Amino acid sequence: MSAGQNPERLRAWRFSVAPMMDWTDRHCRVFHRLLSRRARLYTEMVTAGAVIHGPRDRLLGFDAVEHPVAVQLGGSTPADLATAARICADYGYDEINLNVGCPSDRVKNGSFGACLMREPVLVAECVAVMAAAVALPITVKCRLGVDDQNPEEALPAMAEAVLSAGAAALIVHARKAWLQGLSPKQNRDVPPLDYALVARLKAARPGAVIGVNGGFKTVAQCEAQLGLVDGVMVGRAAYQDPEMLLSVDPVLFGAPAPLADGFAAVEAFMPYMGARLAEGVRLHDMTRHLLGLFPGLPGARMWRRQLATEAPKPGAGLDVVRAALAHVQRPATSMAA
């Protein structure tokens, strides 16, 4: 850490749960917040055009308990991103993140996401206009490069551009994206990880906030990275095994875990689910985010099966969750709250 860095500023990005399409919706984020008070949460990516022209409350609405929460925008037109940033700021988000890493066909066709790795000057312009439009921190999530780019050149070029333009932090998914030849799913696993390149970027820019994303499965792995970079972002592991988040506050922030275990998390989530059911939200829209609980415990398979088959049915209520929970055998010991 450089002499001029604010430790609290660094802690803002010390641990976060990645933006994941179709996964990190508002219900998921409320549940994750129950498991960690300190993790920074991110929305699914929403395009600037959708923010400007679409159903804003549905796309951007969130529960106050989610703070600190960031919205991730997709786009490449500076004026549209500035307008979208102002709208998002009015909703009360803590950060606006620009997607420069998604490799899906949708973003390729829209000329944003990972393909922007080839256009650091344009990305810098987008960051600058958003930073001028709102008082919130503007951050960027990018890849090491795309296709035949040399990551040793592409990543520093992107970092120089966006940090000079006013980006508060750069979060690097430590893989290249292959826009030709690999599917979006393969792009999450096939290109090799290069954490060392991200660590070298941080060493070369000690005054910048640099985070790393990609492949982390345990909080211990995250802790090890924090000696090299400022923050770690975890994606699928946090979603597929949400109980790992119970270790985040004690291990990475020196604070008590907010709940004892997954059983307590389900109970704590019940009032939220009940309130949303009363508003007409389907039970399955919320319980689908709970399927990863209780890995390895007797009855976990029945938990998943019952939620998967019963929660989508019309009129399904909290009794479905309680019945599913009754199948799971509590361990002899659990994490102290």
Side-chain angles (χ1 to χ4, degrees), residues 300-324:
R301 181 175 297 180
M302 283 300 298
W303 158 260
R304 294 191 297 270
R305 180 181 301 170
Q306 183 143 357
L307 289 184
T309 58
E310 299 300 318
K313 293 181 178 179
L318 296 181
D319 56 316
V320 169
V321 183
R322 294 191 180 97

Side-chain angles (χ1 to χ4, degrees), residues 164-186:
S164 296
L170 177 66
I171 302 160
V172 184
H173 185 163
R175 304 180 196 269
K176 286 182 72 173
W178 287 95
L179 304 181
Q180 304 296 325
L182 292 182
S183 70
K185 182 177 186 298
Q186 289 172 318

Side-chain angles (χ1 to χ4, degrees), residues 11-278:
R11 286 172 71 84
W13 288 280
R14 186 170 175 81
F15 180 89
S16 55
V17 178
M20 291 177 280
M21 293 298 293
D22 299 321
W23 287 7
T24 53
D25 64 16
R26 61 193 303 176
H27 310 306
C28 173
R29 298 192 305 268
V30 168
F31 180 61
H32 283 177
R33 179 57 68 220
L34 291 171
L35 303 169
S36 169
R37 299 288 188 259
R38 305 299 182 92
R40 200 168 188 87
L41 305 179
Y42 284 76
T43 70
E44 304 166 89
M45 182 188 70
V46 57
T47 66
V51 169
I52 296 169
H53 303 293
R56 294 177 187 172
D57 286 348
R58 181 172 66 80
L59 293 171
L60 299 177
F62 66 94
D63 194 295
V65 302
E66 296 176 38
H67 290 293
V69 59
V71 58
Q72 187 183 64
L73 291 178
S76 59
T77 303
D80 287 351
L81 284 166
T83 299
R86 284 190 287 267
I87 293 169
C88 292
D90 288 343
Y91 270 81
Y93 284 96
D94 299 293
E95 170 195 337
I96 297 173
N97 179 265
L98 181 62
N99 184 316
V100 187
C102 181
S104 73
D105 292 336
R106 177 187 175 200
V107 301
K108 283 186 287 185
N109 294 337
S111 298
F112 58 97
C115 63
L116 289 175
M117 286 299 300
R118 299 192 185 99
E119 301 187 64
V121 174
L122 174 58
V123 177
E125 184 181 354
C126 293
V127 168
V129 298
M130 287 192 289
V134 299
L136 299 178
I138 306 299
T139 64
V140 172
K141 186 170 187 284
C142 73
R143 291 276 186 145
L144 300 181
V146 294
D147 295 338
D148 57 357
Q149 281 188 318
N150 178 357
E152 297 279 357
E153 298 173 355
L155 180 60
M158 180 60 66
E160 168 65 26
V162 302
L163 294 170
S164 296
L170 177 66
I171 302 160
V172 184
H173 185 163
R175 304 180 196 269
K176 286 182 72 173
W178 287 95
L179 304 181
Q180 304 296 325
L182 292 182
S183 70
K185 182 177 186 298
Q186 289 172 318
N187 264 296
R188 294 193 293 267
D189 295 297
V190 175
L193 288 158
D194 191 350
Y195 300 139
L197 178 55
V198 185
R200 291 196 297 275
L201 176 68
K202 171 59 188 177
R205 291 183 163 274
V209 178
I210 305 293
V212 65
N213 166 235
F216 299 111
K217 293 181 171 59
T218 68
V219 174
Q221 290 174 334
C222 298
E223 186 179 27
Q225 284 293 317
L226 289 171
L228 303 171
V229 295
D230 302 308
V232 180
M233 177 179 277
V234 174
R236 284 170 292 164
Y239 188 89
Q240 294 167 348
D241 179 14
E243 285 178 89
M244 77 170 289
L245 296 175
L246 287 169
S247 298
V248 168
D249 292 5
V251 175
L252 302 184
F253 293 92
L259 295 168
D261 53 25
F263 295 92
V266 174
E267 293 296 336
F269 198 42
M270 288 282 195
Y272 174 85
M273 289 191 288
R276 300 293 81 76
L277 286 169

